[in-house]
Amino acid sequence: MSETPATTSDAAQSAPGSGTGTTAGAATDRHPVDQMLPPLKLLGAGLQHVAAMYAGVVAPPLVVGIGVGLSTAEIAFLMSASLFTSGIATLLQTLGFWKVGARLPFVNGVSFAGVAPMLAIAKAEAPEDALPVIYGAVIVAGVFGFLLAPFFCKLIRFFPPVVTGTVITLIGVSLLPVAFNWAQGGNRQAPDYGSLTYIGLAAITLLVTVALRRLLRGFLKQISILLGLVAGTLVSVPMGVADFSAVSDADAIGFPAPFHFGAPQFAAAAIISMCIVMLVSMTESTADVLALGEIVEKPADEKTLSAALRADGLGTAISPLFNGFAASAFAQNVGLVAITRVRSRFVVAAAGGILILLGLCPLLASVVALIPQPVLGGVGIVLFGTVAASGVQTLTGAALERGDNVLIVAISLGAGIIPIAAPGFYHAFPESARIVLDSGISTGCAVAVLLNLAFNHLGRTSATTTGSDADTPVTAHH
């Protein structure tokens, strides 16, 4: 890893919670992450982040709502609540307070890692108790994550480039199948799933996005992803893919009333299950924070990572109050930052504000929902592929000329790709084990950390490891 440039201001290098300077000179030297953009650019770039992560936020409540037998209206309420709580979690992460929040352009939303365990909880409970038991478990898991954050972040020394590069690559590779599913229509049970119309629309969106990125300049180039989404949606209208029913049926105003589905209930088995999910989410968030720190050229140190994980925990604990679920990092938005190079955290804070408004106004939320899944799929290929490419770029500084490091990367990538290439590989394993194993990101991360520990730490003296990749700090702050 390269050292932090000497020209970087103290404000840019400060830990979360510190000020950004008071003098005019300090303001001009402020790190791009801490710079405020003009209102129009702030709104446009923020909308782009919302468009990129919208489908990922509404998918978990949609699946869980169907799983617990909610009506269409109740599922819509659950989706609005998830948008609202995702906005709160994003503001905690980007603006923060005290020792909470990474203060990086970091989007938090509903974690998909908890969907399978929540469905398992719902099957074990009476229909009227399913969501209250889920919410009780999520609250405890959030508090657990918040309290664990300062200890969990100390593992950062075990995340040198050979580990972070592998995990970042896996994040992108693991997300690409999501984009491919969107490109085929998103609903595997639909008779037209994978039709030429859907795939063609995804391809058109991809080509338009690439063309806009190549031809435009300045701010328009930075929001090429958003423009690509708009163009793809317009193209979808004459193709008969756009669906306007969500707009006509939506209410103008709706507040996610606290504990709408009943007071939380606390069941031991459900709590243990969601605490395991919290550990998985914290592992993935660690990788995302490290990746984003590299992308915005403000490497995450131990304090930043601890603050980010605290925001995850607090956001998760607060979410059930407004009928939301566990919150964690959204890797697709890390890819968006890498593509646009818009590094201001206030852009993502604006996205958080927009999410809150969408949650309070189902009509606005339904307008965003107009974007067809194939259009999201075309853009998703760019976003998720960029994350994978960022991981490959990180691996170039991982001393791969050493055979041990190549072995670490090879085995970790192999382990992480198993759930993607062979989805039923772990079907005979206990449900508790599958929560971790079915997440290629978590499995690959665990394998990479363990192998790096075995090859580059255990049995090595400081004399033999000095200057090696194993002891290369993740940031210049160590």
Side-chain angles (χ1 to χ4, degrees):
M1 297 280 184
S2 60
E3 293 292 319
T4 304
T7 57
T8 304
S9 69
D10 292 338
Q13 300 181 42
S14 62
S18 60
T20 55
T22 57
T23 65
T28 57
D29 292 338
R30 188 174 298 160
H31 193 284
V33 165
D34 299 314
Q35 291 178 357
M36 177 66 75
L37 272 62
L40 185 60
K41 290 185 177 181
L42 196 72
L43 178 62
L47 279 171
Q48 188 167 239
H49 275 283
V50 172
M53 56 95 72
Y54 182 87
V57 171
V58 300
L62 175 62
V63 175
V64 173
I66 293 172
V68 300
L70 297 183
S71 66
T72 302
E74 289 175 323
I75 291 174
F77 174 87
L78 206 61
M79 292 166 64
S80 292
S82 293
L83 289 167
F84 182 78
T85 56
S86 295
I88 293 175
T90 298
L91 290 178
L92 286 174
Q93 198 66 264
T94 52
L95 301 181
F97 68 95
W98 184 57
K99 297 180 180 180
V100 176
R103 292 168 175 80
L104 291 172
F106 197 47
V107 173
N108 270 34
V110 181
S111 172
F112 217 99
V115 171
M118 287 190 291
L119 291 177
I121 293 170
K123 289 180 181 179
E125 302 291 338
E128 65 274 11
D129 294 331
L131 282 174
V133 171
I134 288 172
Y135 287 140
V138 171
I139 290 172
V140 175
V143 174
F144 169 72
F146 183 88
L147 296 176
L148 186 63
F151 307 100
F152 194 91
C153 72
K154 294 185 183 300
L155 298 176
I156 195 171
R157 64 185 295 263
F158 299 114
F159 286 82
V162 68
V163 174
T164 56
T166 301
V167 176
I168 295 166
T169 302
L170 277 174
I171 291 172
V173 172
S174 297
L175 286 170
L176 279 171
V178 176
F180 301 151
N181 178 49
W182 289 344
Q184 295 176 85
N187 182 6
R188 298 179 189 275
Q189 280 69 49
D192 58 351
Y193 181 75
S195 67
L196 288 177
T197 299
Y198 287 155
I199 295 176
L201 179 57
I204 290 171
T205 303
L206 174 61
L207 291 174
V208 169
T209 302
V210 172
L212 291 173
R213 180 71 183 174
R214 176 66 182 85
L215 299 174
L216 297 178
R217 295 290 182 269
F219 178 64
L220 290 178
K221 181 175 182 177
Q222 293 175 340
I223 62 168
S224 58
I225 297 292
L226 178 61
L227 296 177
L229 287 169
V230 173
T233 302
L234 292 176
V235 171
S236 73
V237 175
M239 296 176 69
V241 178
D243 181 9
F244 294 94
S245 61
V247 176
S248 60
D249 297 338
D251 295 327
I253 299 176
F255 182 77
F259 299 131
H260 176 79
F261 297 99
Q265 300 177 25
F266 302 94
I271 288 171
I272 292 172
S273 177
M274 292 310 299
C275 283
I276 294 173
V277 169
M278 195 68 206
L279 289 173
V280 172
S281 295
M282 291 173 76
T283 302
E284 295 181 356
S285 288
T286 296
D288 287 332
V289 173
L290 294 174
L292 185 59
E294 294 297 323
I295 289 170
V296 301
E297 298 176 353
K298 190 177 183 182
D301 59 8
E302 187 177 305
K303 290 183 179 180
T304 302
L305 184 55
S306 176
L309 295 178
R310 280 196 185 96
D312 275 5
L314 184 58
T316 296
I318 291 175
S319 288
L321 173 64
F322 300 103
N323 313 287
F325 300 113
S328 67
F330 265 48
Q332 54 261 55
N333 294 83
V334 175
L336 186 59
V337 173
I339 292 173
T340 62
R341 303 301 297 167
V342 178
R343 294 179 280 178
S344 171
R345 61 189 172 100
F346 298 107
V347 163
V348 178
I354 294 170
L355 287 170
I356 290 176
L357 289 176
L358 291 175
L360 294 175
C361 182
L363 182 62
L364 284 177
S366 66
V367 172
V368 179
L370 283 175
I371 303 173
Q373 298 246 7
V375 173
L376 289 171
V379 169
I381 293 172
V382 179
L383 294 176
F384 305 155
T386 301
V387 175
S390 297
V392 173
Q393 184 178 19
T394 301
L395 285 173
T396 60
L400 294 184
E401 65 275 7
R402 295 175 51 203
D404 291 348
N405 282 350
V406 170
L407 189 64
I408 292 171
V409 174
I411 296 176
S412 301
L413 285 177
I417 290 174
I418 287 175
I420 305 170
F425 190 84
Y426 298 112
H427 75 277
F429 284 63
E431 184 68 28
S432 57
R434 289 177 57 190
I435 292 174
V436 177
L437 295 174
D438 281 342
S439 170
I441 299 170
S442 298
T443 304
C445 181
V447 171
V449 169
L450 291 174
L451 289 177
N452 177 64
L453 187 66
F455 282 104
N456 293 324
H457 287 272
L458 296 180
R460 297 285 183 104
T461 65
S462 59
T464 58
T465 57
T466 299
S468 71
D469 178 68
D471 288 332
T472 301
V474 175
T475 75
H477 303 280
H478 287 286

